[in-house]
Amino acid sequence: MDDVLVTGLGALSPLGAGTDAFWRGMHAADTAPLRVPDPLAHMDHPLMYLVPEADVPDGPEEQDGLPLGRGSRFALAAAREAVLDAGLAGPPAPDTGRDRGRDTGQDAGRDGVRDAGRDAGPDAPRAGLDPRAGLDPRRVAVALSSGMGDTDLHEGWWSGQAPASGRWAPTFPVASVVGGWFGAQGVNTCVSNACAASGYALSVAADLIRSGEADVVIAGGAEAYSRVALGCFNRLGAIDPERCRPFSAERRGTVFGEGAAVLVLESAAHARARGARTVYGRLAGAGWSCDAYHATAPEPSGAQIERAMREALREAGAGDGSGPGGLGFVMPHGTGTELNDVVESRVLGALAPRTPLYSVKALIGHTGGAAGAFAALAAALVLHHKTLPPNVPIGEPDPECAVPLPSGSAPMTGGYGLVNAYAFGGNNISLVFGEAAA
């Protein structure tokens, strides 16, 4: 079976625009949520890890007559960076007098990659896919996810904060927006099974490649501030009043984050044929399961999340312990909610007791439908740099969550990383990423 490689990365997060900013932020390990700048956020804890205002894309406000919300703009920014990073972005569309002077071609370099995501503004020309890369647009697919999509548009219209639009706007257009921007004529699908969604999207992407349906898939997730979502979790009593601190004895819930993480997945044969310039790693295994237990609570024994982890590890051929064939780290789901963290900790303690964890949510909060994609992006960066950054300090660890959370940076000791993502409805997914073949 042909390997599924990660050949491009893109991110827009509370750490700033671009994967370089994300990697630097992982090492700085110093973040905090902010009060959302929404005068109608009448709730006990209106806190969130927000994309810095200077990095929020100023457009496009619409695409082909379709109004776009914050989630779609985030997705497009991250996708533009990922496609450019993979060396698949074509030259800008013919000059219409609107080009803002940014180089979006093949030789833009890291600064160009960063700016390509941030500057997807109202006047930015569509770059499309590069025909020089031997791409057949019919074999380029998009699999993106979101928990709330472009709900911010509708919330603005409902509340009168934004002028009402006479045009219909779907809530979940993120995949079609990205597919339309690049002219991807393969499968374009938006996955939305809550907080496992982007993990599922990445698995769907790998299946499309392994089944021969696609050569390249633009995959990941995007999530933006939603008053409805934050209000609902406040009513559930599931928001921590201070910060997101998974596995801490003092945790009192989760705290949301926003942004987008996108990975370009590509068949190894296609990547070799075009001479892909960077391979961050490979998506080596995936496992799905469902608790079939409760609408919101995890099944207490953890049997189904263990099943998903074991299946992903089996498919990848990864074992416990150090060395190229061993599991070097885990990106846990761990949200900061009481039962979720305990159940996952128990399973990990039995399955991989010595494997260090890196908590992405302690860094940028719980990004909902994009959480699995951010964890996958972090895993790809760790594999590429062969270094596990320090965790954000969480305070006193919960004795019921006996998992190793290193406080300092350390070299990677195994060739694989496990990513977990779980969701309401009992939806579970585990992904295993491996080092790129030499």
Side-chain angles (χ1 to χ4, degrees):
M1 184 183 296
D2 201 14
D3 279 344
V4 176
L5 305 182
V6 180
T7 57
L9 299 174
L12 179 63
S13 76
L15 304 173
T19 54
D20 286 348
F22 194 84
W23 183 243
R24 288 194 302 270
M26 288 177 72
H27 281 275
D30 183 18
T31 57
L34 302 172
R35 184 181 181 91
V36 297
D38 179 0
L40 298 182
H42 302 306
M43 53 194 80
D44 292 338
H45 306 301
L47 298 175
M48 194 164 178
Y49 292 81
L50 298 167
V51 171
E53 190 60 34
D55 294 312
V56 173
D58 58 0
E61 295 182 359
E62 63 176 49
Q63 183 171 305
D64 300 325
L66 175 74
L68 300 183
R70 194 173 172 102
S72 286
R73 296 200 299 271
F74 285 177
L76 187 54
R80 281 166 55 88
E81 182 192 2
V83 170
L84 183 60
D85 184 37
L88 296 175
D95 185 13
T96 60
R98 300 180 304 165
D99 192 343
R100 298 167 74 172
R102 298 287 185 185
D103 180 358
T104 56
Q106 292 284 83
D107 301 317
R110 275 320 301 185
D111 288 342
V113 168
R114 180 193 64 233
D115 293 338
R118 185 179 61 205
D119 292 341
D123 298 326
R126 297 192 195 186
L129 299 167
D130 190 350
R132 296 171 293 178
L135 284 172
D136 180 349
R138 298 170 299 180
R139 297 186 56 77
V140 178
V142 179
L144 292 174
S145 68
S146 185
M148 298 302 292
D150 281 352
T151 304
D152 62 307
L153 278 179
H154 299 266
E155 292 175 357
W157 296 335
W158 299 335
S159 64
Q161 285 185 301
S165 172
R167 293 171 292 178
W168 174 77
T171 309
F172 295 97
V174 291
S176 62
V177 167
V178 170
W181 184 276
F182 290 106
Q185 296 171 359
V187 170
N188 277 234
T189 187
C190 182
V191 181
S192 188
N193 57 341
C195 303
S198 53
Y200 273 76
L202 287 161
S203 181
V204 166
D207 286 348
L208 287 169
I209 292 170
R210 289 178 177 138
S211 67
E213 293 289 328
D215 297 322
V216 173
V217 186
I218 302 166
E223 205 71 272
Y225 167 65
S226 162
R227 185 187 311 123
V228 168
L230 188 54
C232 286
F233 269 68
N234 268 269
R235 290 299 298 270
L236 286 169
I239 298 294
D240 192 300
E242 294 186 22
R243 56 196 177 97
C244 194
R245 39 189 171 176
F247 311 111
S248 169
E250 300 171 336
R251 70 189 186 281
R252 293 169 61 186
T254 196
V255 179
F256 287 154
E258 65 172 4
V262 173
L263 292 75
V264 172
L265 300 186
E266 186 171 358
S267 76
H270 190 272
R272 283 193 300 269
R274 72 176 183 89
R277 57 194 181 194
T278 303
V279 177
Y280 292 95
R282 54 197 174 91
L283 206 175
W288 297 1
S289 71
C290 182
D291 290 348
Y293 170 75
H294 189 274
T296 59
E299 193 278 312
S301 76
Q304 292 306 313
I305 67 171
E306 180 176 355
R307 173 186 159 209
M309 288 189 225
R310 288 191 181 278
E311 175 61 22
L313 290 165
R314 182 200 62 77
E315 188 175 273
D320 191 13
S322 60
L327 185 62
F329 61 91
V330 176
M331 302 285 174
H333 179 65
T335 59
T337 53
E338 184 175 357
L339 185 57
N340 181 295
D341 290 7
V342 170
V343 172
E344 187 177 15
S345 295
R346 287 174 182 166
V347 173
L348 287 172
L351 194 66
R354 297 174 298 279
T355 305
L357 274 61
Y358 180 82
S359 175
V360 177
K361 292 182 181 68
L363 181 71
I364 62 170
H366 188 356
T367 50
F374 270 113
L377 181 137
L381 288 170
V382 169
L383 289 164
H384 183 62
H385 293 286
K386 302 185 185 303
T387 302
L388 190 68
N391 277 279
V392 173
I394 60 166
E396 186 69 25
D398 186 342
E400 288 196 79
C401 300
V403 290
L405 290 162
S407 58
S409 182
M412 200 175 67
T413 57
Y416 292 92
L418 174 67
V419 169
N420 292 331
Y422 311 138
F424 283 175
N427 291 290
N428 309 307
I429 186 159
S430 291
L431 303 170
V432 173
F433 288 85
E435 290 181 297

